[in-house]
Amino acid sequence: MAENSPRRVAIIGGLRIPFCRSRTRYAECSNQDMATAALKALVERYHLQGQRLGDVAIGAVIKKAVDWNLARETVLGTSLSPQTPGYDLQRACGTSLSATLQIGHKIALGEIEVGVGGGTDTVSDVPIVYSDRLRKILLRAARAKTFGDKLKAWSTFRPGDLKPAFPGVVEPRTGLSMGEHCELMAKTWQLTQQEQDELALASHQKAAAAWKEGFYDDLVVPFNGADRDNNIRPDTSMEKLAALKPVFDRSSRGTLTAGNSTPLTDGAAMVLLASEAWAQSHGLTPLAYLTYGEVAAVDYVDGAEGLLMAPAYAVPRMLDRAGLTLQDFDFYEIHEAFAAQVLCLFKAWESEKFCREKLGRDRPLGSIDQTKLNVKGGSVALGHPFAATGARIVATLAKLLAERGSGRGLISICTAGGMGVSAILERP
């Protein structure tokens, strides 16, 4: 470990390819195709050709077996020096924020001078595997020493064994999807569909305005025929959203619809981080600095917590370490896995009972100024390629702080498995 005090971690910038609904523009693209496109663009933007970076951390949630060394293969697909190492990691929807934090830790400790954190995900090019019965037959046949033993292994084969197995985005311990879990949270916190639709509408309106004003022009690079995110609905309205039926609880009690939930999305995003000395030596001005990070997990299996409520714990812990309050921010980038998740967080932080019993605090964290929330659109509008969302948010927030000239931003991301990842970005 480094003996000196931690160094400041500079965010130089970030790039992504457009986020596209699954089975549209990137239907034939792999995780590596998208990750390589995003990393290549980052290398070209910051003139990193031939340079050896300290490390590159990239993750994906839905991966094929061939992607076992995704980060390293992505590096080798660019013009970076082949001496640049890379490693994979995965923390569901918090993957690329965790990757960014890990690279930041290495820089802060003096282990490396510069690195990249990012993520990629496709729901279009998913791994389709043999059924478990057929897999076992194939393995038994492969182990067989004689022709008779091979026939014996195949004697148990049935036509139904050919049915392929598709990956499911469900919690292994409950069998429920994230949407079903979030529907339970919405009931716990007594959210209405109208409240969720209002947040979703604002997300689309802000994203559409951001694209129109050119905010994303230098954050998004064209790829495979797409030049902008294709999920944004600038013409949506409360009337259109209200007409949509619940999708996770189809009874009259359901409130989560396709309109106030993130769509299945493909995409990739990367963030370049460095020490101040490295940035200065390369003539680059940091957009912002990564100052704090925190992770948390909750017990959702026994019904004690909501699956996506871990940020309700991660953020307060991080605030305490930073000596800040929830109101001490100029921007709030809270991942909209579902509009309900964001609203549940707000209600928890505003609840005296929750903050006293769950967080051990004398008083609630309070509310935020929602005019500062996801000001350039959130995941409901922009889309959510699971492992890429964190890097998308970091790049967006860093640019916002740079344009403002100073300030502080809060990042909060919920993940599958009952976890949450949070971070603070600052520009002095």
Side-chain angles (χ1 to χ4, degrees):
M1 301 293 286
E3 296 180 359
N4 299 326
S5 299
R7 303 183 299 178
R8 289 211 298 181
V9 178
I11 299 173
I12 306 302
L15 282 174
R16 65 181 176 91
I17 60 174
F19 287 179
C20 293
R21 278 179 171 263
S22 63
R23 295 180 289 278
T24 59
R25 287 291 189 178
Y26 307 154
E28 303 297 325
C29 298
S30 67
N31 275 324
Q32 190 170 324
D33 292 335
M34 295 187 296
T36 302
L39 186 56
K40 274 185 175 179
L42 195 74
V43 169
E44 293 170 5
R45 172 70 58 83
Y46 294 102
H47 308 293
L48 304 175
Q49 295 92 338
Q51 296 194 39
R52 177 178 62 83
L53 307 189
D55 215 343
V56 173
I58 299 174
V61 176
I62 300 178
K63 294 174 67 174
K64 294 179 179 179
V66 71
D67 289 334
W68 65 273
N69 209 10
L70 177 64
R72 173 61 174 160
E73 291 299 324
T74 297
V75 167
L76 293 174
T78 73
S79 58
L80 285 171
S81 166
Q83 294 182 343
T84 298
Y87 70 98
D88 292 21
L89 78 162
Q90 201 263 65
R91 198 195 293 275
C93 305
T95 294
S96 55
L97 181 55
S98 290
T100 300
L101 287 168
Q102 286 189 11
I103 294 297
H105 293 159
K106 289 173 177 280
I107 293 168
L109 292 173
E111 295 178 9
I112 64 175
E113 295 297 321
V114 58
V116 172
T120 180
D121 248 306
T122 172
V123 190
S124 299
D125 186 35
V126 296
I128 301 173
V129 299
Y130 296 122
S131 67
D132 193 54
R133 271 182 50 83
L134 182 55
R135 183 183 63 83
K136 290 177 179 177
I137 290 172
L138 290 167
L139 290 173
R140 285 197 299 268
R143 291 193 301 266
K145 303 295 184 183
T146 68
F147 182 71
D149 288 338
K150 290 183 184 293
L151 286 178
K152 184 177 180 180
W154 281 102
S155 67
T156 60
F157 171 78
R158 300 292 182 271
D161 297 336
L162 292 173
K163 183 179 180 181
F166 292 83
V169 187
V170 298
E171 290 296 308
R173 296 182 180 275
T174 65
L176 300 178
S177 69
M178 283 183 280
E180 289 170 323
H181 272 284
C182 197
E183 183 73 75
L184 295 174
M185 287 165 47
K187 290 179 173 61
T188 296
W189 291 100
Q190 300 179 338
L191 298 179
T192 65
Q193 181 177 333
Q194 179 175 338
E195 291 175 285
Q196 298 169 54
D197 288 349
E198 287 171 353
L199 191 148
L201 177 62
S203 185
H204 281 283
Q205 291 175 335
K206 292 173 185 177
W211 270 106
K212 186 176 181 180
E213 71 186 20
F215 178 82
Y216 286 114
D217 289 353
D218 61 350
L219 292 177
V220 181
V221 293
F223 174 65
N224 206 54
D227 58 8
R228 62 172 50 206
D229 308 313
N230 71 1
N231 180 66
I232 301 169
R233 300 291 181 265
D235 60 344
T236 194
S237 64
M238 285 297 293
E239 291 74 24
K240 291 179 179 178
L241 290 169
L244 298 174
K245 302 299 182 184
V247 291
F248 301 109
D249 176 356
R250 297 179 184 276
S251 74
S252 59
R253 299 179 64 237
T255 58
L256 271 71
T257 70
N260 56 42
S261 307
T262 53
L264 293 175
T265 317
D266 306 332
M270 303 289 160
V271 175
L272 179 66
L273 304 100
S275 67
E276 290 182 287
W278 186 94
Q280 184 176 16
S281 68
H282 286 73
L284 296 169
T285 302
L287 299 179
Y289 293 88
L290 177 62
T291 55
Y292 291 90
E294 184 77 32
V295 295
V298 295
D299 175 11
Y300 67 94
V301 178
D302 295 329
E305 309 283 357
L307 171 71
L308 302 178
M309 289 300 287
Y313 295 80
V315 168
R317 292 175 192 167
M318 183 174 64
L319 293 177
D320 288 345
R321 286 197 292 111
L324 297 170
T325 71
L326 186 61
Q327 291 71 40
D328 291 335
F329 293 88
D330 302 289
F331 301 104
Y332 299 86
E333 285 290 330
I334 300 181
H335 166 45
E336 300 165 352
F338 305 90
Q341 192 277 335
V342 179
L343 296 172
C344 285
L345 280 185
F346 292 163
K347 291 209 169 188
W349 289 334
E350 294 166 1
S351 166
E352 181 177 347
K353 182 174 186 290
F354 179 88
C355 290
R356 182 181 67 252
E357 296 180 0
K358 299 295 187 179
L359 303 180
R361 307 176 80 89
D362 294 333
R363 55 182 179 271
L365 274 75
S367 59
I368 72 166
D369 180 351
Q370 293 198 28
T371 64
K372 302 176 181 179
L373 173 67
N374 298 342
V375 297
K376 301 301 180 182
S379 298
V380 164
L382 298 170
H384 173 40
F386 305 126
T389 287
R392 186 269 297 174
I393 288 175
V394 170
T396 296
L397 180 53
K399 179 177 178 179
L400 286 168
L401 291 170
E403 288 186 341
R404 189 176 187 274
S406 65
R408 183 183 294 120
L410 173 70
I411 298 174
S412 169
I413 297 180
C414 60
T415 90
M419 296 181 289
V421 190
S422 60
I424 294 174
L425 271 57
E426 298 182 71
R427 183 179 172 93

